[in-house]
Structure formats: structure tokens, C-alpha cells
């Protein structure tokens, strides 16, 4: 199962607290509260977002949003030792023997791939089908990313629209000189909301989704490599060598420890 | 037939209402009405657009615009079961037996492809011809998208040009101090129009067209895969496995239900 | 021969008229006339352009500019029927019989390709040579496009440089309060010139060149496909099917009419 | 071992000194010191960064940062002569004779590759495994680069957010005319911090990482070419010719000197 | 030898003269002279550049800069007739006969390639080695281009940093109302320097390097095509046809004249 990732939530919360504290040190937080500005910035940009994407896609936004707050699937270290041992078993007992192992596997992608190996489907079809799966995952994630990055561009634009409205209203009646400052302050609040919402919430979420996608795709490609290597009956040592290439230097050290513990 | 999509029209309308309400709360809507600003922003940027594209292409804009307000063709769920059953029929009764099914198919792309299968044209030619069709669709949609995204860049630029005109006129005669505010307010209205028109209408439409194109191309590629799989006499189970890869996890669940209903 | 396209010239002229009218409604057109601003914006940015491109390339600018005001070569509809009939002739009377038709062809690219077919040069060489031609065309057009899009970026930059000069001069002597407004107005005129020249003239021309290049390349690719299909002795019906894929739905309807008239 | 590169540290230090000197010439450095502005700009943007990347990746930032201050691995000149001599040895004494040389090699990538040559693994597998290594290196470096370039975009955004807060507070109370200047000055300090931190520190580091990655990848590709050339028993003269292509004209001259010294 | 290209130097000089004239018409040139502004903009951005690139690369900047002021190597017209005649000679007298011609060739790339032909190295190796050369040239030029385009982004950023410093100093002491104008004027001068230096010098040089690289790579690719065609013993007429595809229509006319003069 994917694990909840508290860090981004904490970071957004901490960022908001920091900004609120900075406001309270300099003046009253009440100056910065404006429901109408909030509505123009967030609801206005959301309407523009609604016109930008088919509703069928937009309604996936909450579940996509959730993904940004969970750890991506990236236990590549344990994959190396798993595949090395499956590879050994397949060479000594035959590909059919892998069927017993399928129930112990958590990841449906690995199960699907290995099931096709057991079923005797030729490598080209397996590779093609699994690659199609990866393309489909990539496509879905890219759409998710583009929802939040579009919103991250629209929010400051609506902040600016709100500020323009405030400025035009203020400028069209300069009779009360005392109101000028207040008018400009109020006008700037929507720009502030747009900048904060985009840079503290939307752009980070879009970035997070993008970097997690890249991570997941990488693990999936490693899985295809694994499945095809097992099927081809490649020397387990070479299989391990190949898969180790996917690990970072740090993970490699940990992987060696895992192997050593395994051997002991 | 493509179905009308009320959402984007609703969203644009709701966004406009929101902005108008925000204006009316802060001041009079009349301050914001300026026919000349509207003409500079919208007609001015349209003339620049007219110089940017061959007229032959530009006159397709209304029909392209329409597409943004219709659901894209994406019934991929039903395609899986359709193709699986065609695949079974072709294997048991021969490829010629598909001719009877062609009349029931709605989509001209599928009909064209399967007709070529029935006519005994070799897979390479079929794949090539259908790929050319997809390329042509992609090309037309990209042009459509680029019209609206170019307009979305030109509109704020003309908004700024209008504001510069207003500012220069105002600054060149500062004798009447009372007129300064009004002058600047009027000048800013074109910037406001440009920002609103671009961010609430043009950019969302361009985004919508882009995301729909990607969706349609994806379905078309799935159709080529389908047609070639049927022709090659591939095992229907593998055909289904392949096509299921094109579906999202949600669609897969629904697809299974369809299959189950199908079987019952 | 390419036909003159009045639309972009009309559009630029209409846009200029619109802006001038807007100026005259609000104030005197004389405020906006400044020869020195015009020189800083246009000549200044042209000097920067001169330093940006080899002179050999830059001196092609006038002939490239001309292209933006001519219809691109895109009579793809008539190409389909021409090639279908050539294909029939080649199958019945042999490839050598095409030699008689070469004199009737207008386009040198088609003539070059078919001449090589008649000369018995193998398909790989023909395809390679024609593809090199397309690459060369694309390269030349891209350079043309980049001249005008670079200029479109430099012009507003020099507009801003002119405005900075005006502002600095004005700010360094604020003794005459009445001159402040005039000073700022004059300073802003170069920004206005830069924005107008870029958005109404240079960027549209760059866009036009880009979209025409894409159109011409597309037609050229269709021609290579045509020439190779004729040479390979492919069934004329499949040739027609292939080439029809290059047409838009609208052109297809017209093409069918042409074919029907042809048959009657 | 990688060698420490004093230049970037010196450059950042010199840039900071330059800016501080410029400040001290014009006014007091104390005006520019604001702890709260520093916290909004740097800590605020860091919180946004924290929400943008999985923590597992972000905690690599210090070790990635270190890389920007070390010379990239790029001794391509010595690689040419090394590989030429290994190539000669392999041709005269057989591939197994390379085993003795492995202990003298510093670079683990070369060792891994040559060890596989000695072990008699076929070229396709060697090439694939080493290419996977390069891809993994490239991926890790790209992530490192994207952390610092994202931060370089977020820092000025938070600088602007801080300035907006200051402006809104100041504008909402214009009663004390004397405080206006101080208020605006204080507000602008966060913009200044954001601009300085991004342009003097973060963007240069991101650029440095990017250019070093490109350099390292290039050397690694040269190494794969080397290893496969040795394995294939290619004529050492052609091997040298090939590898020399990777060198810049300057390095070539130096390489010839090395070769000449080698020969003498 | 490459020939000096006076145009870019003239253009930069003319642009500077234009701007200086514009300043002198409006006010005194002395207002615009500020050594400290110049240092912040140019030296400051250079320090940031120093932190952005390995010093080994940065010290190539002067020699890269020089390239922008020389004509790129692009005598493609004469290459066509040269290669056609070499091709004829090779067919009639054998490949070894080319050795006599090598001394007359100026370009080391052509010499290297033809020497390999004479040495009897197989086409795949020749093509690979020459392609590696092109990749290396492209890589070096791209680095050169990126130095100047990075600088072109950093210079206006440091101009803005200088302006922020000036504004903050001025705003923190508004007691002397007369100094406000001078303060702002002085502050804006760094922005002016940054904009001028970037748009008149750095960005044009970066563009020039980019367009020259593209030109040189194109000629090199034509050379590989030439060398392989000569080696393969292709019909000289087809060789000429192929190479003519690399020429622009204008060059083709001139090439025909050269051929005609050649024949007379």
C-alpha cells in the first residue's frame, strides 16, 4: 500500500504560518482578510479551470491531489533481490514454477507481467502490453499535473484581474484622499492571494506530481526489464547487474546489505 | 454523434457573473463599460490574428470553437468489448465475415480500417493509411489550438496598447487634476478587458482543445491497434489484455461490469 | 504561380486604422508622433537584429517577408486526382510513359521527383534526395521565421530602452512640475511603438510564416508519398485512399466532387 | 578523486561583496538588513520547495549542492591514451590480459565495463547495462538541477509576496506621511533579497549542475565507446581516431603532446 | 581561413551611437554615466556567470566571442562542384587516386574523411567517426551559445537589483524632496544598462552563434554525405543531384553558372 506523506502538508501549513506571522508582526491580520478577494482569486480561477478541461478529467482532481500526499511507489531496492531470486527459481525449476510466487506479490503490474510469462505469451507481446500500461499511467499523471500547473497560472491572473477592478474603482473616484491608500491596499490583496495560492500550494503540488510520476515510471520500466530478463532465462548475476544500474549509489549500499543479510 | 458539453459554457458564464458581481459590490458597473476599450482589445487583437494565419485556416475557427463545447469521442470502454467480439468472430468465421458488421459501426475511422481488412489489404498499408489519418487529425487540431492560444497572447498585448494610449493622452495634459484619476481608470479598463478575455475565455478554450485532441488521438491509436490485432488473428484474450491497457483503472472496473453483463 | 494574399496586408492596415482612430477619439494624434521614438524602436531593434544574424541571411528578409503575403502552395485537392490518374497511366503504359506528362506539371518538386522515376533511379535514392529538398526548404523557412520572431522580441525591448531614457531625463530635472506629465507621456511613446510594431506587424508575420511552412512541408511530404506510390506500381485505389488521408474533411467532399465531375 | 573547485564559491562571495559595497557607497548597510524579509524569502520559498519534492529527494540537496563546487570528471585527454594502450594490449595478449590492468583504474564505471569484457559478457549486454548506468546518473543529476532551478523560481516569488505584504500594510495606514517612504523601502527589501538570492546563488548553481551533468554524461558515453571498441578488437589506430573526436581542438593538441611524450 | 565579418561589430556600434544620440537630444549624456551602475550590471552579472559555468569552459568565452565576428564556413556552392569532380575521378581512376587531391583541400574535416576513404576504412566507421566530430562541434558551440544567452538573462536581473538598491536607499530618506527625482533617475540607470547590454550586445551575440552553428553543422552533414557518396561509387550525376538539395534556390543558380564556367 502507498504510505501517507506528511511532509508536503506540513510544508504548506508551515509556509502559511510563516506568512501569517509576518503579517501579524507588521500590522493587523484583519487588513488581509477579504472574502470577495478570496472568491475572485480561487473561485474565479477555478471556473477558468473548469472551462479548460473536460469535466470527466477535472473530477479526478481530488484523487490526483491525494497522490501528491502519498509516497510514490519506489521500493526499487527490494525489487532487485526479489527479481534475482525469482530469476534463480525460474532457471532451476522452469517458468511455470513462478505461478506459486504470484500470490505473494503486492504490485498488480508485476503480477500481470509474470502471469503472462507463466502463460507462455511471447516476449514481444508482453513488452508491448506492459509498455502500453506505462504509457497509460504516464498519460493520466500528465493530465493530473497539467490541471494543477494550469491552475497555478490562472490563479495569479485572476489575482491581477481582481486588483485591476479595485484600482479602476478607486481611481474613478479620488474625491476622498484618505480612501486612496485603503483602496490600493484592498486592490493589492487579490494579487497577494493569487501569488500565495499559486506559489505555496498549486505550483508545489504540480511539481510534486511531476517528480512522483517520473519516479513511478522509472520503477515500472525497471519492472518490465525484470520480467523480460526472467523470461529470457538470463544469468541471474547479469540480471542483478542490470537492475542495480537503476539504483542510486546510496540504494546500492543498502541493497548490498540486504543481499548480505539474505546470504547470512 | 458527439454530445454537447454544457460545462465550459456554464463555467465561462459563471466566471463572468462572478467578476461582474465583484464589480457591482465595489462600485458601479458603468465605470467598467467602454465600447472603445472593448474594440481595441477584441477587434484589435483579432486583426493581428487575421494577419497571423492564412484566411483559409482562420475561417475554420468557428467550427473549431464548436468542438471545445462538445464531448470528445472517447467511448474506449465499449470499444474493448466491441473489438473483443469482432476478434472472436474473425477467428471463427474468417475476416470476410466482418463485412456484415460494418453497417452497425458508427465511427467512420473504424469502418475505413475494417473495410480495408475485409478487402485484404496488407497490414503495413492499413497501418500507414490510418496513421496518416491520425497525423492529419492531429495537425488540424493543433492549428485550431494555436489560433486560440495566439489570440490568448495577443488580447492582453492589445489591452496593454490601449492602456498606453490612455496613459499618454492623460499625461500629456495634467492641467485638470480631477481628471487624472478618471483618465487612469479608463486607461486600465483595456488591460482589464484583455486579461479577462484571455484568462476566462481564450486560454481555457485553447487548453480544452488541446486536452480533447490528446484524448481523441489516444482513442484513434487504440483503434489502429484494434484493427491490426483483429487482422492478425491474435488470441482474443490477448487482444482484450492489450486494449484494456488503454483504459484508466476506473474505466477498467466499468469495463468488467460491461463484460459481465455481456456474459449474463 | 503563388497568388497574392490581400488579407494580412488588409489586417495590418485595419489594425493600424483602429488604433489611430482610438487615439483621435481620445486626444490629438500629434501627441503620438515622435520621430526619435520611432527611430529608437525600429532602427535600434533593427541594428540588434543585424548583429544577430549573418548578413547573408538577413538580406533574404525582404523576399521572406514577401512570402507572408502570398498564399502557400497547398492545392492538395487537385494533387489527389492528378496522382491517381498518373498512377493509372504508369500501371497501364509503364513508367516511361510519364515523361510526356512532365511538361504539363507546374511544380518543379513534382517534376524533379517524376523525372527521377522515369530515369529509373531506385526508390531509396529518390526518397532521400526529395527528403533532403524538404529539409532544406524547412531550414530556410525556419531561419525566415526566426528573423521576424527575434525582431518581435527586440522591438519591445528597445521600446522599453527608449522609455527608460525618457524617464531618466525627466526625473533628473523635476524643477518644472508642468513638464512631468509631458515627459512621462513622451517616454511612454517608445513603449507604445514597440508594443504596436511587435504585436500588430512582426509577431503576426512570424506566425504566418510558421503556419505556411508547416502547410508547404505537409504538401511536399504528400508529393513524396505520391511519387513513391506511382513508382511502386501500387493499386491506384490504394494510392487515392492514402492521399485522401492528407485532406481535411472539407477538402474530401470537394475532392469527391472533382472526381465526379472528372468521371462525367 | 574529484577536486574542489574554488571558482564558484569565490564568484558568489565576490558578487555579494560587490553588491554590499554598492549599498555602502549609496547609504547605510543597516537599511538593507531585515531578518523578517530574509525569513519570508528564504525560509518561505524553502517550505514551498519542501512541498514540491519528495523528502527522500530533497534530503539529497546538500550532497547535490556539494557537486556544484567540485570539478566534474572530465579527464578525456588521458582517457584516449589509456584506451589506445589497453586496446593494443587486448589485441596482442587477449581480452583476459586486461584483468591485470583493472586494479590501476580509478573510475568504477570503467572498471565495471572492463570487468564485464573480461568475464566474456556479450557486447549488447555490456552496452545496455552501462547505458542504464548513464541514464540513472542523468536522472539523478536532473533531479538535482530541478531542485535548485525550482528554488530559483520560488525565491523571487516569495520576495514579491513579502513586498505585497509590506505595501498593503503601509497603504492601509497613510496617516503618517513620513512613514510612507520607510514603508515602501522595507517592502522592497524582500524583492531585493529574492532577486539577489535567485540570480547570484540559486540560478548559477542550477546552471553549474546542468553543465557539469552534460560534461560527465559525455565522458561516460566516450567510455562506453572505448570499452566496446576494445572488446571488438578494432584497430587501435581507428580506436584512437574515434576517441579523438570527443576532444576539443585544444585538448587534441595537448593529447598529441601526451602521445609524443609517450613515444619518446 | 574564416573571414572577418564587419557587420555585427558595425551594428553594435551603430546601435550604441543611436542610443547615445537619442540621449544627447533629450538631455545631457552625463546624467547617464554612472561607473557604479556599470559595475553592478556588468561585473555583478559576470560573477553570477562565473558561478554558473566551470572555469575551464568560461575561459573559452573570448575565443567563442571571436567566432561571432567571423563568417561561418559555408561555401556549399563550391563544395558541390568539388565533390562532383572528385566523384568522377574516383570512379575512373579508383579511390586511391584521391590521395593526390588531399593536399589541395583546405578543410581538415574533408581531409580526415577522404583520408579514411583512401585508407580503405569501411563506410560505417567513417560515418560514425565523422558524426562524432559533428556532435562534438555542436556540443562546443551549444556551450558557447549558452554562456552568452545566460549572461543575457543575468545582466537585466542585475540591472534590476541595482535599481532596487537605489530605490530602497532613496525611499528610506524622503526628507529632501528635491533629491527624489535624482534618486529615482540614478536608480533607473542600472536597469537601462542591463537592458541595453543584454539586448544590443549579449542576446545578438548568442543568436549569431546559434545561427552560425546551425549553418556549420549543415555544411558538415553535407560533407559526410559527399564523402560517403564518393566512397560508394555512386553515379556522379546523382551525387550532384543529392548535394544540390542542400543549396538554396539562389545558390543553385550560382552553382549552375560555376558549372557552366567550368564546362567552357
Amino acid at each position: 500500500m502507498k504510505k501517507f506523506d506528511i511532509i508536503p502538508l506540513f510544508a504548506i501549513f508551515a509556509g502559511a504560518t510563516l506568512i501569517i506571522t509576518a503579517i501579524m508582526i507588521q500590522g493587523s491580520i484583519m487588513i488581509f482578510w477579504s472574502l470577495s478577494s478570496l472568491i475572485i482569486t480561487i473561485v474565479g480561477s477555478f471556473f477558468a479551470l473548469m472551462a479548460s478541461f473536460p469535466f470527466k478529467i477535472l473530477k479526478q482532481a481530488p484523487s490526483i491531489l491525494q497522490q501528491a500526499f502519498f509516497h510514490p511507489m519506489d521500493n526499487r531496492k527490494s525489487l532487485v533481490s526479489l527479481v534475482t531470486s525469482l530469476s534463480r527459481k525460474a532457471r532451476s525449476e522452469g517458468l511455470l514454477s513462478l505461478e506459486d510466487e504470484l500470490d505473494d506479490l503486492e504490485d498488480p503490474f508485476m503480477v500481470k507481467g509474470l502471469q503472462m510469462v507463466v502463460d507462455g505469451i511471447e516476449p514481444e507481446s508482453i513488452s508491448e502490453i506492459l509498455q502500453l500500461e506505462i504509457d497509460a499511467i504516464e498519460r493520466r499523471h500528465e493530465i493530473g499535473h497539467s490541471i494543477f500547473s494550469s491552475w497555478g497560472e490562472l490563479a495569479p491572473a485572476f489575482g491581477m484581474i481582481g486588483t485591476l477592478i479595485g484600482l479602476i474603482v478607486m481611481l474613478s473616484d479620488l474625491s476622498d484622499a484618505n480612501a486612496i491608500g485603503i483602496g490600493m491596499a484592498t486592490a493589492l490583496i487579490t494579487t497577494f492571494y493569487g501569488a500565495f495560492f499559486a506559489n505555496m500550494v498549486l505550483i508545489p503540488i504540480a511539481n510534486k506530481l511531476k517528480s512522483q510520476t517520473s519516479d513511478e515510471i522509472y520503477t515500472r520500466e525497471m519492472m518490465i526489464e525484470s520480467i523480460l530478463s526472467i523470461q529470457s532465462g538470463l544469468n541471474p548475476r547479469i540480471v542483478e547487474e542490470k537492475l542495480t544500474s537503476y539504483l542510486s549509489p546510496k540504494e546500492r549500499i543498502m541493497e548490498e546489505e540486504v543481499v548480505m543479510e539474505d546470504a547470512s
Side-chain angles (χ1 to χ4, degrees), chain A residues 78-97:
Chain A
S78 58
L79 193 61
V80 175
S81 52
L82 169 69
V83 171
T84 311
S85 85
L86 287 178
S87 167
R88 269 199 203 98
K89 178 157 190 181
R91 262 164 82 103
S92 57
E93 306 174 32
L95 290 171
L96 288 177
S97 71

Side-chain angles (χ1 to χ4, degrees), chain A residues 56-95:
Chain A
K56 199 188 54 166
I57 284 171
L58 206 63
K59 75 181 174 200
Q60 298 170 15
S63 81
I64 289 163
L65 182 58
Q66 238 180 2
Q67 285 177 27
F69 296 100
F70 279 86
H71 285 289
M73 195 209 55
D74 60 356
N75 44 348
R76 289 195 280 271
K77 293 165 287 184
S78 58
L79 193 61
V80 175
S81 52
L82 169 69
V83 171
T84 311
S85 85
L86 287 178
S87 167
R88 269 199 203 98
K89 178 157 190 181
R91 262 164 82 103
S92 57
E93 306 174 32
L95 290 171

Side-chain angles (χ1 to χ4, degrees), chain A residues 4 27 45 51 74 76 95 102 112 151 170 172 179 188 215 223:
Chain A
F4 184 68
S45 61
D74 60 356
R76 289 195 280 271
L95 290 171
L102 292 183
K112 184 173 184 177
W151 203 356
M170 182 207 76
S172 63
L188 283 178
D215 222 41
M223 286 178 174

Side-chain angles (χ1 to χ4, degrees), chain A residues 25 93 105 119 134 233 238:
Chain A
I25 288 170
E93 306 174 32
L105 295 177
D119 292 356
I134 291 186
I238 300 185

Side-chain angles (χ1 to χ4, degrees), chain A residues 71-76 141 208-222 246 251:
Chain A
H71 285 289
M73 195 209 55
D74 60 356
N75 44 348
R76 289 195 280 271
H141 286 214
K208 186 92 191 292
L209 288 170
K210 197 177 169 189
S211 105
Q212 285 186 335
T213 299
S214 145
D215 222 41
E216 181 166 347
I217 299 300
Y218 195 63
T219 309
R220 298 274 180 225
E221 278 168 2
M222 189 181 167
Y246 283 92
E251 287 171 324

Side-chain angles (χ1 to χ4, degrees), chain A residues 193-206:
Chain A
Y193 282 177
F196 178 77
F197 190 49
N199 287 292
M200 192 69 232
V201 182
L202 298 171
I203 294 173
I205 286 173

Side-chain angles (χ1 to χ4, degrees), chain A residues 25-74:
Chain A
I25 288 170
Q26 294 182 51
S28 156
I29 189 81
M30 288 317 293
I31 312 171
F32 283 80
W33 173 249
S34 160
L35 185 62
S36 67
S37 295
L38 201 67
I39 289 175
I40 289 177
T41 310
I42 298 190
V43 181
S45 61
F46 182 75
F47 281 137
L49 195 70
M50 231 170 121
S52 299
F53 289 92
F55 189 63
K56 199 188 54 166
I57 284 171
L58 206 63
K59 75 181 174 200
Q60 298 170 15
S63 81
I64 289 163
L65 182 58
Q66 238 180 2
Q67 285 177 27
F69 296 100
F70 279 86
H71 285 289
M73 195 209 55
D74 60 356

